[in-house]
Amino acid sequence: MSADALNVAFDALKQYDWGTDTAVLAPIEDAVAAAHGDEKLRADLEARLTADLTSSISRDAKDYCCRKLTVIGTAGCVPALAALLDKPDHAHMARFVLERMPLPEAGKALRDAAGKLDGNLKLGVINSLGARRDGEAVEVIAAALQNNDPAVARAAALALGAIGTPQAAAALKAMVVSANGNKPYVIDGLLACAESLRGSKPAEARAIYESLAGDNQSRLVRLAATRGMLVCASVES
């Protein structure tokens, strides 16, 4: 793969859009594959792809950049990705990259955005934080439990359930005693927390199950809570 071929491919990327023959980008694909173990090449590709994200190229071209950054991206591309989180056309792919980056900078970018965004954009970021099981995001996610948008509130409860820490469980428990506490998604989140905790903290998991075993809960919730208590008892014995 020559430098000239790569330059031509990046020039083609600036004109790339839906329906364009993907063969024009083959040198970029080859370079991304070759960048494994070649830090200089990886850094050059990341810089080029990141620069294109901040330009006026098409949505499809930016999606392409995001997909490649999922493979070779580092903390260096996080600011450019974070800048897309409030853009409806690009937020999904930016989250796609950040969600998969095992870097503190990626988590911080998502947490910062979660506190600022609204509607579907906020919902998407909350989902990504849940997928990352980001324990540092509990506070900002918990604040969304009482969001006026039911879809955002539901996403917050399920994300806390996915995170599954004692702090996440405490935030959900606080909702249970509120006027909206019997929302099914809050209960689902609590049950998910208990499942995450019962291997390492069976006493805390058991306390959650016991709180859901009362007659004020549905039959299915009571059954799940009873089963959970039995599992915790076997772990503790």
Side-chain angles (χ1 to χ4, degrees), residues 72-186:
I72 63 167
T74 68
C77 67
V78 168
L81 292 164
L84 299 178
L85 292 175
D86 64 352
K87 308 291 190 297
D89 284 347
H90 305 297
H92 176 77
M93 285 305 298
R95 291 195 308 270
F96 179 83
V97 187
L98 292 169
E99 182 181 312
R100 288 158 178 76
M101 280 184 164
L103 301 171
E105 293 86 353
K108 184 178 185 304
L110 290 166
R111 292 193 300 272
D112 289 347
K116 299 173 184 175
L117 298 173
D118 295 305
N120 287 338
L121 294 176
K122 186 182 192 76
L123 185 155
V125 169
I126 288 173
N127 284 342
S128 290
L129 288 167
R132 285 174 65 87
R133 298 192 172 184
D134 187 344
E136 294 183 58
V138 168
E139 184 176 354
V140 70
I141 295 175
L145 284 171
Q146 301 193 56
N147 194 279
N148 291 331
D149 185 338
V152 171
R154 180 179 184 277
L158 298 181
L160 290 171
I163 291 169
T165 62
Q167 295 77 16
L172 289 163
K173 280 184 178 180
M175 274 297 289
V176 169
V177 300
S178 75
N180 295 322
N182 267 346
K183 294 288 188 182
Y185 53 74
V186 176

